[in-house]
Amino acid sequence: MIKTIKLQGFRNFSKVVFEFTPGISVILGPNASGKTNVLESLHILSTGKSFKAKLEEEVIQYDADIGRVEGVVVGEEETSTTLEAVITRGKMNIGAARPEIVPRKKLLVNGVPRRMIDFSGNFRTVLFGPWDLDLVTESPSIRRKFLDTVLGQVDREYRRSALSYEKGLRQRNRVLWDMREGNIGPDRLLFWNQLLIKNGNYITDKREEFINFINGLEFEINGLKLNISYDKSVISESRLEQYSEEEVGAATTLVGPHRDDFIFNKGERSLSSYGSRGEQRMGVLWLKVAELSYIEEKTGERPTLLLDDIFSELDEEHKKIVMEISLKQQTIITSVDDDFTKDLKKVNKIKFLG
Ligand SMILES: Nc1ncnc2c1ncn2[C@@H]1O[C@H](COP(=O)(O)OP(=O)(O)OP(=O)(O)O)[C@@H](O)[C@H]1O
Ligand SMILES: [Mg+2]
């Protein structure tokens, strides 16, 4: 669980410290007071990445050169780890004629610089906000990103494979491009084929295992079972062979987990085409519950749940379900009002004035 965070030059915060309890913390404040920014900083400590910035330097306070998030995480055995993310604009004004060129991002664990794959996984979180409805309704890339975020948090080998696959894919596409231009022959593909098959199969297997896990958590809406079908794009020698001509024509790799998708169904019908908005929301809730349980099963610890402003969109019954889930692990909730906390015995309130 996360104990404290310190933000410096991060979004609307010049310098501030927040403390969290093992139970429920509620961040309260009017619109634009910085509630979501706090969750964003927590998510950066968890994954090394922002969930909303398109360009990472967006998180740096307008007039600052550096944005910094530091957090102390304590494990089951009271061991504490300090995680730190430092984001810059790539250069720093040091008073000299020219600005100094600096790395855009530095991630540190206990003061030691770490690569992204070794930084993430130290503080596990599940994030849930109104935008998650996009998981049901929007394009496949959002669903693949979701799979990567969950699996990447529990499995270093998955993080390594995903990174290696992504780099290999770019290289292989470049070779396909050169082949189309007639510059090189197909033997240049062999190395990249092997690399993509090896890493791609690992990714596919883990995604399949997780999707089977979700389907094992039974959840019904109006008597019909929710289920997910994995629309996987397997990469193998024979599949690459099958698409070899088309791939050169398109100068792009046409099979592999970068083309995966999954579909939510209620019974036999897809939730994106036939589900009501409320049903789609329940589909996402089911996914989030599965995410919490899966991470617990894999790591032995429940992750911290981050809820961004979700109550305004839920009816009473679903509010109750979410509050029950919130009691099971450390949960940090943002909201404009605290009506939903009235039945809670213990709650840590953090108030912003705006
Ligand atoms: N790089 C930045 N530097 C300074 N301020 C920023 C930066 N990025 C965003 N902000 C400020 O942060 C505010 C938004 O904060 P945030 O999204 O956390 O608000 P919120 O409390 O979640 O509001 P809401 O209730 O509307 O969701 C914006 O109004 C903006 O002024
Ligand atoms: Mg917000």
Side-chain angles (χ1 to χ4, degrees):
M1 64 150 238
I2 187 95
K3 229 170 105 179
T4 62
I5 53 168
K6 183 161 106 189
L7 309 181
Q8 277 176 284
F10 184 90
R11 295 284 188 188
N12 60 322
F13 301 104
S14 301
K15 191 170 177 182
V16 64
V17 172
F18 299 110
E19 293 190 18
F20 302 103
T21 53
I24 297 180
S25 294
V26 183
I27 301 172
L28 295 164
N31 293 141
S33 57
K35 304 182 297 296
T36 302
N37 294 344
V38 177
L39 295 193
E40 182 186 32
S41 74
L42 289 164
H43 189 262
I44 291 175
L45 292 183
S46 178
T47 63
K49 282 186 280 203
S50 163
F51 61 82
K52 63 180 225 193
K54 287 205 180 67
L55 284 175
E56 282 200 306
E57 66 173 77
E58 286 168 26
V59 306
I60 306 169
Q61 198 169 30
Y62 300 140
D63 300 328
D65 276 341
I66 300 189
R68 192 187 293 268
V69 188
E70 193 184 309
V72 178
V73 178
V74 288
E76 297 263 276
E77 282 112 36
E78 296 296 309
T79 48
S80 81
T81 309
T82 303
L83 302 173
E84 197 179 345
V86 183
I87 293 123
T88 76
R89 301 183 194 277
K91 50 184 190 276
M92 296 258 282
N93 206 333
I94 51 166
R98 271 191 217 162
E100 187 183 357
I101 304 296
V102 291
R104 287 189 169 267
K105 182 161 72 177
K106 246 171 137 177
L107 302 169
L108 304 101
V109 179
N110 292 327
V112 181
R114 293 282 184 211
R115 289 185 299 167
M116 179 106 90
I117 63 165
D118 293 314
F119 180 82
S120 63
N122 283 297
F123 167 44
R124 299 189 183 89
T125 55
V126 168
L127 173 68
F128 187 12
W131 60 80
D132 278 315
L133 203 59
D134 293 352
L135 279 165
V136 180
T137 56
E138 296 298 317
S139 64
S141 64
I142 293 180
R143 288 180 285 281
R144 288 193 294 268
K145 196 170 148 201
F146 165 79
L147 294 172
D148 287 344
T149 309
V150 183
L151 293 164
Q153 288 202 66
V154 297
D155 182 354
R156 186 182 184 279
E157 185 54 24
Y158 187 93
R159 297 199 285 278
R160 199 205 52 72
S161 299
L163 200 68
S164 175
Y165 186 88
E166 204 183 292
K167 284 187 185 161
L169 188 63
R170 276 201 298 270
Q171 297 292 335
R172 188 173 186 275
N173 289 345
R174 188 177 302 166
V175 174
L176 287 168
W177 177 276
D178 285 341
M179 282 171 69
R180 188 173 68 180
E181 303 297 299
N183 299 337
I184 49 171
D187 52 325
R188 286 280 303 279
L189 281 176
L190 296 177
F191 174 80
W192 300 113
N193 290 357
Q194 292 316 313
L195 184 122
L196 291 192
I197 290 170
K198 183 165 162 277
N199 292 295
N201 287 340
Y202 189 84
I203 295 167
T204 307
D205 287 351
K206 291 291 156 176
R207 286 180 176 177
E208 188 148 50
E209 182 199 304
F210 176 47
I211 288 169
N212 288 339
F213 178 90
I214 304 171
N215 282 326
L217 298 179
E218 299 209 349
F219 200 91
E220 283 189 2
I221 310 180
N222 305 328
L224 286 174
K225 270 193 190 145
L226 282 188
N227 61 86
I228 284 177
S229 38
Y230 181 21
D231 180 7
K232 66 179 167 185
S233 178
V234 172
I235 186 163
S236 64
E237 300 228 19
S238 60
R239 292 251 298 162
L240 287 173
E241 179 70 29
Q242 191 186 336
Y243 286 92
S244 57
E245 269 178 43
E246 279 174 63
E247 284 198 329
V248 177
T252 192
T253 303
L254 296 173
V255 296
H258 64 291
R259 299 246 158 169
D260 274 355
D261 195 6
F262 65 83
I263 298 144
F264 289 85
N265 305 300
K266 184 184 88 174
E268 287 173 358
R269 291 190 207 286
S270 96
L271 217 48
S272 69
S273 309
Y274 299 103
S276 77
R277 201 123 169 115
E279 288 177 326
Q280 294 174 342
R281 222 169 262 139
M282 280 170 73
V284 177
L285 183 59
W286 173 53
L287 204 64
K288 295 288 155 177
V289 170
E291 199 180 340
L292 287 163
S293 313
Y294 184 77
I295 295 176
E296 181 181 22
E297 182 176 287
K298 290 286 162 187
T299 67
E301 272 179 65
R302 281 182 83 79
T304 296
L305 179 59
L306 308 175
L307 299 178
D308 193 29
D309 217 351
I310 59 160
F311 291 107
S312 51
E313 298 211 0
L314 297 176
D315 62 24
E316 286 308 315
E317 190 194 335
H318 291 110
K319 274 185 200 161
K320 239 176 80 189
I321 299 176
V322 172
M323 285 320 291
E324 276 163 24
I325 298 165
S326 299
L327 290 166
K328 294 185 181 170
Q329 66 286 302
Q330 181 180 44
T331 300
I332 302 170
I333 306 174
T334 71
S335 179
V336 284
D337 65 60
D338 62 354
D339 292 352
F340 66 93
T341 61
K342 58 184 186 297
D343 298 328
L344 291 174
K345 286 196 194 77
K346 242 173 103 180
V347 55
N348 167 34
K349 286 188 190 177
I350 298 168
K351 287 190 180 149
F352 293 159
L353 300 173

mmCIF file of all heavy atoms in Angstrom, residues 24 26 28 323 333 337-347 349:
data_model
loop_
_atom_site.group_PDB
_atom_site.id
_atom_site.type_symbol
_atom_site.label_atom_id
_atom_site.label_comp_id
_atom_site.label_asym_id
_atom_site.label_seq_id
_atom_site.Cartn_x
_atom_site.Cartn_y
_atom_site.Cartn_z
ATOM 1 N N ILE A 24 -9.850 3.269 3.357
ATOM 2 C CA ILE A 24 -10.345 4.149 2.301
ATOM 3 C C ILE A 24 -9.900 5.599 2.539
ATOM 4 O O ILE A 24 -10.062 6.132 3.630
ATOM 5 C CB ILE A 24 -11.892 4.084 2.223
ATOM 6 C CG1 ILE A 24 -12.335 2.661 1.851
ATOM 7 C CG2 ILE A 24 -12.449 5.109 1.238
ATOM 8 C CD1 ILE A 24 -13.835 2.466 1.744
ATOM 9 N N VAL A 26 -10.490 9.459 0.850
ATOM 10 C CA VAL A 26 -11.328 10.176 -0.106
ATOM 11 C C VAL A 26 -10.720 11.543 -0.368
ATOM 12 O O VAL A 26 -10.427 12.290 0.570
ATOM 13 C CB VAL A 26 -12.762 10.338 0.442
ATOM 14 C CG1 VAL A 26 -13.647 11.007 -0.589
ATOM 15 C CG2 VAL A 26 -13.342 8.979 0.808
ATOM 16 N N LEU A 28 -11.469 15.054 -1.715
ATOM 17 C CA LEU A 28 -12.654 15.861 -1.995
ATOM 18 C C LEU A 28 -12.266 17.257 -2.448
ATOM 19 O O LEU A 28 -11.308 17.833 -1.935
ATOM 20 C CB LEU A 28 -13.481 15.992 -0.717
ATOM 21 C CG LEU A 28 -14.086 14.697 -0.179
ATOM 22 C CD1 LEU A 28 -14.524 14.894 1.265
ATOM 23 C CD2 LEU A 28 -15.256 14.271 -1.049
ATOM 24 N N MET A 323 -18.781 0.245 -3.146
ATOM 25 C CA MET A 323 -18.322 0.500 -1.778
ATOM 26 C C MET A 323 -17.913 -0.794 -1.095
ATOM 27 O O MET A 323 -16.943 -0.829 -0.345
ATOM 28 C CB MET A 323 -19.404 1.226 -0.958
ATOM 29 C CG MET A 323 -19.580 2.695 -1.291
ATOM 30 S SD MET A 323 -18.054 3.612 -1.589
ATOM 31 C CE MET A 323 -17.321 3.653 0.044
ATOM 32 N N ILE A 333 -10.290 7.350 -3.388
ATOM 33 C CA ILE A 333 -11.448 7.762 -4.183
ATOM 34 C C ILE A 333 -11.454 9.279 -4.344
ATOM 35 O O ILE A 333 -11.290 9.997 -3.358
ATOM 36 C CB ILE A 333 -12.757 7.348 -3.460
ATOM 37 C CG1 ILE A 333 -12.754 5.845 -3.135
ATOM 38 C CG2 ILE A 333 -13.984 7.733 -4.267
ATOM 39 C CD1 ILE A 333 -13.954 5.385 -2.287
ATOM 40 N N ASP A 337 -18.386 15.394 -3.862
ATOM 41 C CA ASP A 337 -19.090 15.424 -2.576
ATOM 42 C C ASP A 337 -18.885 14.113 -1.824
ATOM 43 O O ASP A 337 -18.483 13.117 -2.404
ATOM 44 C CB ASP A 337 -20.584 15.699 -2.777
ATOM 45 C CG ASP A 337 -21.250 14.573 -3.535
ATOM 46 O OD1 ASP A 337 -21.225 13.438 -3.032
ATOM 47 O OD2 ASP A 337 -21.769 14.815 -4.645
ATOM 48 N N ASP A 338 -19.134 14.150 -0.517
ATOM 49 C CA ASP A 338 -18.812 12.963 0.273
ATOM 50 C C ASP A 338 -20.040 12.226 0.797
ATOM 51 O O ASP A 338 -19.976 11.524 1.794
ATOM 52 C CB ASP A 338 -17.849 13.319 1.410
ATOM 53 C CG ASP A 338 -18.446 14.312 2.387
ATOM 54 O OD1 ASP A 338 -19.559 14.813 2.116
ATOM 55 O OD2 ASP A 338 -17.801 14.582 3.409
ATOM 56 N N ASP A 339 -21.186 12.389 0.112
ATOM 57 C CA ASP A 339 -22.413 11.686 0.515
ATOM 58 C C ASP A 339 -22.184 10.184 0.682
ATOM 59 O O ASP A 339 -22.690 9.567 1.613
ATOM 60 C CB ASP A 339 -23.499 11.847 -0.568
ATOM 61 C CG ASP A 339 -23.978 13.287 -0.644
ATOM 62 O OD1 ASP A 339 -23.562 14.065 0.241
ATOM 63 O OD2 ASP A 339 -24.736 13.609 -1.583
ATOM 64 N N PHE A 340 -21.410 9.616 -0.234
ATOM 65 C CA PHE A 340 -21.256 8.157 -0.238
ATOM 66 C C PHE A 340 -20.449 7.637 0.952
ATOM 67 O O PHE A 340 -20.364 6.450 1.164
ATOM 68 C CB PHE A 340 -20.597 7.701 -1.544
ATOM 69 C CG PHE A 340 -19.182 8.183 -1.697
ATOM 70 C CD1 PHE A 340 -18.120 7.399 -1.272
ATOM 71 C CD2 PHE A 340 -18.907 9.432 -2.251
ATOM 72 C CE1 PHE A 340 -16.809 7.845 -1.402
ATOM 73 C CE2 PHE A 340 -17.611 9.878 -2.381
ATOM 74 C CZ PHE A 340 -16.561 9.092 -1.954
ATOM 75 N N THR A 341 -19.851 8.562 1.747
ATOM 76 C CA THR A 341 -19.030 8.085 2.863
ATOM 77 C C THR A 341 -19.820 7.978 4.170
ATOM 78 O O THR A 341 -19.276 7.559 5.177
ATOM 79 C CB THR A 341 -17.834 9.036 3.122
ATOM 80 O OG1 THR A 341 -18.364 10.329 3.463
ATOM 81 C CG2 THR A 341 -16.933 9.155 1.903
ATOM 82 N N LYS A 342 -21.108 8.347 4.129
ATOM 83 C CA LYS A 342 -21.833 8.454 5.407
ATOM 84 C C LYS A 342 -21.960 7.128 6.168
ATOM 85 O O LYS A 342 -22.011 7.136 7.385
ATOM 86 C CB LYS A 342 -23.194 9.137 5.216
ATOM 87 C CG LYS A 342 -24.114 8.470 4.233
ATOM 88 C CD LYS A 342 -25.394 9.307 4.069
ATOM 89 C CE LYS A 342 -26.421 8.611 3.198
ATOM 90 N NZ LYS A 342 -25.969 8.385 1.816
ATOM 91 N N ASP A 343 -21.976 6.002 5.464
ATOM 92 C CA ASP A 343 -22.091 4.717 6.148
ATOM 93 C C ASP A 343 -20.735 4.092 6.500
ATOM 94 O O ASP A 343 -20.680 3.004 7.059
ATOM 95 C CB ASP A 343 -22.872 3.713 5.273
ATOM 96 C CG ASP A 343 -24.290 4.206 5.029
ATOM 97 O OD1 ASP A 343 -24.833 4.887 5.925
ATOM 98 O OD2 ASP A 343 -24.843 3.915 3.947
ATOM 99 N N LEU A 344 -19.677 4.791 6.162
ATOM 100 C CA LEU A 344 -18.354 4.217 6.425
ATOM 101 C C LEU A 344 -17.915 4.529 7.843
ATOM 102 O O LEU A 344 -18.084 5.654 8.324
ATOM 103 C CB LEU A 344 -17.322 4.791 5.458
ATOM 104 C CG LEU A 344 -17.452 4.384 4.001
ATOM 105 C CD1 LEU A 344 -16.445 5.172 3.170
ATOM 106 C CD2 LEU A 344 -17.222 2.891 3.841
ATOM 107 N N LYS A 345 -17.335 3.549 8.516
ATOM 108 C CA LYS A 345 -16.888 3.776 9.897
ATOM 109 C C LYS A 345 -15.636 4.624 9.921
ATOM 110 O O LYS A 345 -15.495 5.559 10.673
ATOM 111 C CB LYS A 345 -16.613 2.426 10.570
ATOM 112 C CG LYS A 345 -17.883 1.668 10.935
ATOM 113 C CD LYS A 345 -17.573 0.559 11.933
ATOM 114 C CE LYS A 345 -18.731 -0.410 12.035
ATOM 115 N NZ LYS A 345 -18.785 -1.338 10.882
ATOM 116 N N LYS A 346 -14.690 4.243 9.055
ATOM 117 C CA LYS A 346 -13.398 4.933 9.106
ATOM 118 C C LYS A 346 -13.032 5.398 7.717
ATOM 119 O O LYS A 346 -13.022 4.615 6.783
ATOM 120 C CB LYS A 346 -12.327 3.946 9.575
ATOM 121 C CG LYS A 346 -11.673 4.356 10.891
ATOM 122 C CD LYS A 346 -10.762 3.269 11.395
ATOM 123 C CE LYS A 346 -9.304 3.583 11.140
ATOM 124 N NZ LYS A 346 -8.421 2.521 11.645
ATOM 125 N N VAL A 347 -12.798 6.664 7.586
ATOM 126 C CA VAL A 347 -12.380 7.161 6.286
ATOM 127 C C VAL A 347 -11.416 8.333 6.459
ATOM 128 O O VAL A 347 -11.566 9.164 7.359
ATOM 129 C CB VAL A 347 -13.610 7.512 5.395
ATOM 130 C CG1 VAL A 347 -14.522 8.490 6.091
ATOM 131 C CG2 VAL A 347 -13.208 8.038 4.038
ATOM 132 N N LYS A 349 -10.101 11.628 5.085
ATOM 133 C CA LYS A 349 -10.540 12.631 4.100
ATOM 134 C C LYS A 349 -9.440 13.645 3.807
ATOM 135 O O LYS A 349 -8.842 14.207 4.718
ATOM 136 C CB LYS A 349 -11.783 13.362 4.607
ATOM 137 C CG LYS A 349 -13.021 12.504 4.531
ATOM 138 C CD LYS A 349 -14.283 13.276 4.856
ATOM 139 C CE LYS A 349 -15.434 12.280 5.002
ATOM 140 N NZ LYS A 349 -16.688 12.912 5.385
#
